[in-house]
Amino acid sequence: MNWDQIEGNWKQFKGRAKQQWGKLTDDDVDRLAGKRDELVGKIQERYGYQRDQAEREVDDAIRRW
């Protein structure tokens, strides 16, 4: 699975994103609209992660999905 597929099917994947990162609100997930950089930034904001850690989490989640 690649990010283009996730972005194109964001409505299907936003539930998985909410499960993975429970601190993201429904509004956060809706506004992301499948944009990877915005997801990484929102994870940084909500969890206090450094950018590289947030990117690793997103990449790991993509591999599992």
Side-chain angles (χ1 to χ4, degrees), residues 4-50:
D4 290 333
Q5 291 171 311
I6 291 172
E7 188 174 11
N9 296 301
W10 184 245
K11 288 183 181 187
Q12 295 172 0
F13 288 102
K14 66 183 183 179
R16 291 181 182 181
K18 283 275 299 160
Q19 287 178 335
Q20 177 75 32
W21 300 288
K23 291 183 180 180
L24 297 179
T25 66
D26 289 334
D27 286 341
D28 290 338
V29 175
D30 288 340
R31 273 190 240 122
L32 295 172
K35 294 177 180 76
R36 184 184 184 281
D37 286 341
E38 290 185 28
L39 175 59
V40 169
K42 193 54 75 173
I43 291 169
Q44 280 183 271
E45 179 184 320
R46 295 285 187 234
Y47 288 88
Y49 292 165
Q50 296 294 320

